[in-house]
Each structure stands twice: as structure tokens, then as C-alpha cells.
Amino acid sequence: MRQPAVAAPADRSFWLQDIAAAPATQPLVGGERADVVIVGGGYTGLWTALRIRDLAPETRIMVVEADQCGSGASGRNGGQVHSWFAELDQISAVVGEEEGRELCADSVDAIAELEKLQRDGTIDMDLRLDGWLWTASSSAQEGAWNRAVAMTEAAGANRFRQLTGEEIKQRTGSSASYAGVVEPNAGTVHPAKLATGLRDLAIARGVVVHERSPVTEILPGRTCQVQTAQGEVRAEKVVLAANAWLSALPELRRHLYVVASQVVATAEIPDLLDRIRWRDGASICDSQRQVLYYQRTPKGRVVFGRGSGNIAYAGKFGQSFNRSPERGRDNIRELGRVYPELRGVPIDYDWAGPVDCVPEHVPVFDHLNGHPNIVFGMGYNGTGIAQTPIGGRILASLVLERKDRWSGSGLVGLDRRKTMPPEPFRYLGAKLVRAAIARRNGAEIRDEKPGVLTRFLSELTPGGGEH
């Protein structure tokens, strides 16, 4: 297993720094035993632990995390919460329309589960269900939502409502986007509060968690040996829930590519945001190929993210993926375009991080080939807050060998998924394509038509927006 480049304190996300997040458990030292060991203490790993606890309370469950729970994608994303109905067309292409509708409904249930966890005081995650706005800020982006909305309506689900430009301006304080839809039962969350809250809930329910315990090697067998720098745990079952770090395994790397997402957070400017009438906790994104995603925090910061396009060669990434030397320059430029009134506002935080992507934009779950007691989940493509609770159900059923709708899901099965080209062709091609996407985005924002070559190259990407 590749060792992660742990971010320096100043390079961590605003979310992690905001709550002074720190490990709450001791590293793994010496030898231990478990029935199931989960590698990765982010949303996927923690939800899997909780689902296993629900299904088989007697199971000895251990989570080993390289840094602190939530230090990866779970604690540094844009905090956008929306259902899977926005991807119903992509999901249906993988699992069929019937299960696609069921999974989307499951994600609605997951949002309700998050709401209940906050309402009953279990996890204070700053969840605000003020809506998710999916918008267009150029003619090329108009109607990006049409297919998903049409399929959602055909399924009998009332999830989206059309917005006028004036409504968008009233909700966001910006006239940059002038068309779109809103998913009312969606919104924003504090990602690090959710991640650390899930960790604390898992511990309270008897899950053993070892942070600061990067896994160095996994020796497969009837009883697997999961080794860390200072210890080892033996377990009959292993769950790999390590997001982009799963690119270390050649079997998975054939289907997985890693890109960086860049986020910035302004100083607290609540009075200024109030003046431009941006007051609620809605999540907002546009429809660029390198999508913009942003929110106003409860204290009046603007968190503004973008798929930066940084590509990992052979799935390898280090400190440059924690914080870009450009310090969010593209994000700051786009923030000024979307909100001219915010030009010159201090940027207090900038951070980046790897995102695990698969060509279909839909996560995949399975056993490692030849190792039926080692299961994995990957490929959320940056959309996971309401989706990882479902992934946890699938992984729990797989690892417990249950025969149910989760283990039988169409999301299970790596061999049915597209593969990526080998290196160096993957990296070189990705650089060409991402550069073309940047040129195309720039032209389309100006309502100009990109050149033929730019359009051709930009259409070759298997990747998409990260939220």
C-alpha cells in the first residue's frame, strides 16, 4: 500500500482547521484480532462499520486510518448534500432504470438519516437543507440537467423545480447563473463535523478505531494480516475504503483515475453577503465540465471549489495534491467573476486533494480477484455525502456474505466496468484533455464557440464534476 502524504496543519482544509480536528484514538501497536478490519476512516469506512454493527452486533470491527478520521476526501470536500437523482441517467446506464430509481430513493433516505442524526443530537454537522441549485452560467451549460430531470419525473419522483434567473439571483446574490433547477430537499453540511461525528458514533457503538496507523501491507489468506508501521491486525475479512489511495492496487488502477479538486474559503464576511442577499445554506453549482461548487457557511464565509484538473501519474500523488502552489488562483478568479462584489476579499484558506474517479461516474464495489474475503468500494467522483451511506450498506452485505438487494446490486462487479488506458498514455492523454476542457470552459463562459480540436479533445474525458 502506498503511504499517504499527510497534510501539514496549515495545508488542511478549512473544515478540519475550523474545529481543530485531531485524532481521538491511539495508533495500532502490537498484534490484535478482529472479524472485520476496515482500511480507511472516511465516510465509506465509517458508514460500513456502522452498517455491520447494525446487521451483526457481535462482529468485532476495527477501523485503521492512516492519519485522522476525515482527513481525506471526507473532511475536505465542498460540503454539498444532494440526492443521486441528479445522476439518475448515469446510474441507470450501469444498473438499469429500475434499480437506478431505487438507489436514488435510497439517497433521499440517506439525507433523512443525516437529518435525524442532527435533530436527535447524535452528530452536530451544521446540516442545512435549504436546497441544491444546479445552474447554467453560459448558453453551452443550459439544460445540462434536462435528461436527469426528465427521468426523475418519469420515475414519479418530484425532486426538482425549474428556476428563473431572478430566483437564482435572489437565492445566491449573483446574476452569473441565469437558468437552472433546484432540489429543495438538499443543501450543505460541515464535512469535518460529519466525519468526526461518525467516528465518535462508531466508537460509542463498540467499533475499535486506530488513527495514525497507515497500512503498509496486506497479506491475504483465509486469515488476512493487515500490517502497519507499529502493529498488525489479523482478520477474516478486510474492507478497502481508502478512496484515491486504492490506485496503489494494479487491479483497481485499471478502472480508477485520480484528479485533484481545489477549494478556497474566504474570510468571514456575513454583512457583505447579507447586502447582496446571499443568506441561506443552499449548495450551488454550475454546469461547467470542471464544475464550480460553492456555499455560504453559517458564519458567513464563502467556500468555493473547483475540479482543478491536476492529474496523478500512475495514481501516485503526494504533497502537491494537498495544497497547490497556485494557491487556488483559478478559484479566486472565478469567485470574482461569479461575485464581482467579493473581489479583493481575503482568502483565509486554500486546500486541495485527490478524488477517486471512475469513467462511469458511478461507484463500484466488489471483491478483489481471487480474494473473496477482501472487498472494496471506490469511484464516488466527488459526490458522496448522501451516497456513502448506501456504499456502506453494500460493503457490509458483501463482507458479511449476505444475499440481499445490496450484495446483489448492479453497482457490484468490477469486470463490467470500463478500463483506462495504460501509462504513460493515460497521463499524457489526460493532460491534453484537461487542458482542452479548460480552454473550452473559458470560451463557453464568454459565450464563444471553442475550436474544433478543443471540442474534440474535451469530449474524450471520462471524468466530470466533483462536488
Side-chain angles (χ1 to χ4, degrees):
M1 300 292 289
R2 292 195 186 117
Q3 297 307 288
V6 174
D11 293 344
R12 293 193 184 276
S13 72
F14 155 68
W15 309 114
L16 291 166
Q17 295 189 57
D18 182 50
I19 62 170
T25 63
Q26 294 301 310
L28 174 64
V29 178
E32 294 195 29
R33 286 294 303 249
D35 297 318
V36 178
V37 61
I38 299 170
V39 180
Y43 295 152
T44 298
L46 293 168
W47 276 116
T48 301
L50 291 167
R51 301 310 193 198
I52 294 171
R53 176 63 75 223
D54 288 339
L55 294 171
E58 73 288 352
T59 305
R60 296 174 296 174
I61 310 163
M62 181 181 295
V63 174
V64 287
E65 161 58 39
D67 185 10
Q68 63 187 48
C69 288
S71 60
S74 298
R76 55 170 162 70
N77 58 78
Q80 302 218 337
V81 183
H82 59 82
S83 77
W84 241 335
F85 277 105
E87 288 86 33
L88 176 55
D89 51 343
Q90 296 168 334
I91 295 171
S92 297
V94 173
V95 305
E97 289 193 17
E98 182 177 356
E99 191 191 355
R101 291 192 294 267
E102 291 176 350
L103 289 167
C104 290
D106 294 327
S107 67
V108 174
D109 292 340
I111 294 174
E113 185 173 7
L114 293 173
E115 188 177 21
K116 183 178 185 302
L117 286 170
Q118 176 162 286
R119 186 174 60 248
D120 65 17
T122 303
I123 301 178
D124 174 17
M125 65 187 84
D126 291 350
L127 179 65
R128 297 171 295 168
L129 296 181
D130 293 331
W132 173 60
L133 280 65
W134 183 3
T135 71
S137 54
S138 71
S139 57
Q141 298 177 30
E142 293 174 12
W145 47 85
N146 283 348
R147 179 167 168 77
V149 170
M151 292 183 68
T152 298
E153 291 175 349
N158 182 26
R159 294 299 302 176
F160 299 101
R161 180 176 65 82
Q162 294 287 333
L163 291 172
T164 66
E166 182 58 31
E167 286 177 306
I168 294 171
K169 184 175 181 180
Q170 289 178 359
R171 291 290 306 276
T172 68
S174 170
S175 57
S177 290
Y178 56 87
V181 294
V182 61
E183 182 179 24
N185 187 39
T188 52
V189 75
H190 190 301
K193 287 186 178 182
L194 173 56
T196 56
L198 288 171
R199 174 197 64 193
D200 296 345
L201 178 59
I203 293 170
R205 297 192 59 194
V207 175
V208 176
V209 177
H210 288 293
E211 296 167 292
R212 294 171 293 174
S213 302
V215 172
T216 57
E217 188 173 11
I218 299 173
L219 302 177
R222 180 170 293 180
T223 298
C224 297
Q225 301 173 52
V226 178
Q227 298 181 346
T228 68
Q230 298 177 273
E232 174 186 280
V233 54
R234 292 173 175 263
E236 285 67 40
K237 304 288 182 63
V238 176
V239 178
L240 302 178
N243 197 274
W245 284 270
L246 294 182
S247 64
L249 304 180
E251 175 185 345
L252 304 184
R253 190 165 62 243
R254 294 176 63 239
H255 302 265
L256 178 69
Y257 62 100
V258 178
V259 300
S261 197
Q262 174 77 42
V263 193
V264 300
T266 70
E268 293 182 7
I269 48 172
D271 293 342
L272 177 52
L273 299 183
D274 286 345
R275 283 202 300 274
I276 64 174
R277 296 188 299 176
W278 188 8
R279 296 188 175 94
D280 68 18
S283 55
I284 308 154
C285 74
D286 72 359
S287 303
Q288 293 186 50
R289 289 169 181 266
Q290 288 178 319
V291 66
L292 300 180
Y293 48 95
Y294 43 106
Q295 64 152 294
R296 172 188 170 150
T297 70
K299 292 185 178 180
R301 295 184 190 273
V302 177
V303 173
F304 200 89
R306 192 179 198 195
S308 69
N310 194 9
I311 307 296
Y313 181 83
K316 299 177 182 178
F317 46 90
Q319 288 291 355
S320 65
F321 269 65
N322 289 329
R323 195 173 193 184
S324 166
E326 296 180 353
R327 304 291 295 272
R329 182 181 62 194
D330 287 348
N331 298 52
I332 296 167
R333 185 190 67 244
E334 284 291 273
L335 175 62
R337 177 184 66 82
V338 177
Y339 289 100
E341 302 89 342
L342 304 187
R343 288 175 182 158
V345 166
I347 302 297
D348 283 356
Y349 302 87
D350 68 272
W351 68 96
V355 178
D356 60 333
C357 297
V358 293
E360 298 86 357
H361 296 195
V362 177
V364 60
F365 307 87
D366 208 345
H367 306 83
L368 288 184
N369 188 30
H371 304 293
N373 58 345
I374 303 178
V375 303
F376 67 86
M378 66 180 192
Y380 288 94
N381 284 62
T383 303
I385 293 176
Q387 290 72 23
T388 47
I390 300 168
R393 293 190 187 280
I394 293 172
L395 289 169
S397 285
L398 287 174
V399 82
L400 294 174
E401 300 181 39
R402 292 170 62 92
K403 302 299 182 185
D404 56 20
R405 61 165 293 213
W406 303 111
S407 62
S409 170
L411 295 178
V412 177
L414 189 63
D415 57 353
R416 298 186 293 108
R417 296 300 191 94
K418 297 175 183 176
T419 57
M420 301 292 296
E423 297 290 13
F425 305 106
R426 176 196 299 209
Y427 179 78
L428 295 174
K431 296 290 280 187
L432 284 171
V433 169
R434 301 295 274 197
I437 289 172
R439 293 195 302 271
R440 181 170 180 169
N441 281 341
E444 291 179 345
I445 284 293
R446 299 187 298 270
D447 273 331
E448 299 173 359
K449 190 173 183 180
V452 174
L453 181 58
T454 293
R455 291 201 307 275
F456 172 76
L457 289 173
S458 64
E459 293 291 344
L460 297 178
T461 178
E466 302 90 26
H467 311 315

